Amino acid sequence: MYPKLKNPTLFPAWTDNFFSGSMWPNEESYVGLSIPAVNVKETIDKFDIEMAVPGMEKKDFKLDIDHNVLTISSEKILKKEDDNEKFTRREFSYTSFKRSFTLPTSVNEEAIKATYKEGILIISIPKREEAKEKGPKHIEIG
C-alpha cells in the first residue's frame, strides 16, 4: 500500500488510514470525501512528500508538526452567487482534507521546507547529518 523505504519509519499516522480498509465496503459509501494522492521519496539526504492538490493556492494549506507527527491540512470554501431579475442562484463548494505522517527521529524538523507549484505540494524533510548514509570507509593498518 505504501512505498518501500530504506527507512520505514516515515508512515502515515493512523488518522490517515481512518477512511480506508474494510470499514467502507465500496467507494459509494464515502462519495464527496477526497484524500489527495501522495508520493514519498527517500534519498541519502532527505525525504520528499509530494501531494497532488490541483486548484489550490499556497494560502490554503496548513502544515504542523507535533510530537514527530507532520499534519498537512487544507480547508477551502468557494461561494458563487448569481443574482438575476427573476432568480437568485447560490452554489457553495467545500473542500477539506487532513493527512498525518509520523516522522522518523532521524529528520531535522527545524529545516523542513514546503513549496507549491502547478498543483503539487512538495514537502522536503532533510535528515540529520548523523542519520545520513555514509559510504564505505577504508581503515589504514598502522
Side-chain angles (χ1 to χ4, degrees):
M1 183 168 169
Y2 297 104
K4 233 178 194 174
L5 300 173
K6 291 177 188 170
N7 185 343
T9 55
L10 183 65
F11 285 115
W14 73 271
T15 55
D16 195 48
N17 292 324
F18 186 75
F19 292 106
S20 65
S22 61
M23 184 177 193
W24 303 106
N26 58 42
E27 288 186 20
E28 291 96 36
S29 297
Y30 54 101
V31 171
L33 176 65
S34 177
I35 299 176
V38 171
N39 294 330
V40 178
K41 295 189 306 187
E42 180 181 10
T43 65
I44 293 171
D45 299 326
K46 65 180 178 168
F47 294 97
D48 281 328
I49 297 176
E50 301 171 332
M51 181 177 287
V53 281
M56 305 292 273
E57 298 176 33
K58 288 191 301 189
K59 65 180 175 84
D60 297 330
F61 300 104
K62 183 177 176 190
L63 280 71
D64 295 304
I65 297 177
D66 188 25
H67 294 91
N68 278 8
V69 175
L70 170 66
T71 301
I72 307 160
S73 60
S74 176
E75 185 174 275
K76 187 172 184 174
I77 300 171
L78 298 173
K79 297 179 183 179
K80 180 180 177 183
E81 293 187 32
D82 288 334
D83 283 328
N84 216 335
E85 287 180 24
K86 297 183 181 182
F87 68 92
T88 299
R89 183 179 83 189
R90 292 183 183 170
E91 295 182 11
F92 296 98
S93 174
Y94 180 82
T95 304
S96 71
F97 70 85
K98 181 185 257 187
R99 297 214 49 185
S100 296
F101 298 86
T102 302
L103 299 175
T105 56
S106 62
V107 303
N108 181 356
E109 289 183 4
E110 303 303 317
I112 294 175
K113 293 189 169 87
T115 57
Y116 180 73
K117 186 176 179 183
E118 298 178 5
I120 305 292
L121 176 66
I122 300 172
I123 302 158
S124 181
I125 307 167
K127 294 179 181 177
R128 295 176 196 253
E129 202 58 42
E130 62 271 12
K132 294 179 184 177
E133 287 184 28
K134 296 171 178 55
K137 181 179 177 182
H138 179 73
I139 300 170
E140 294 288 328
I141 300 172

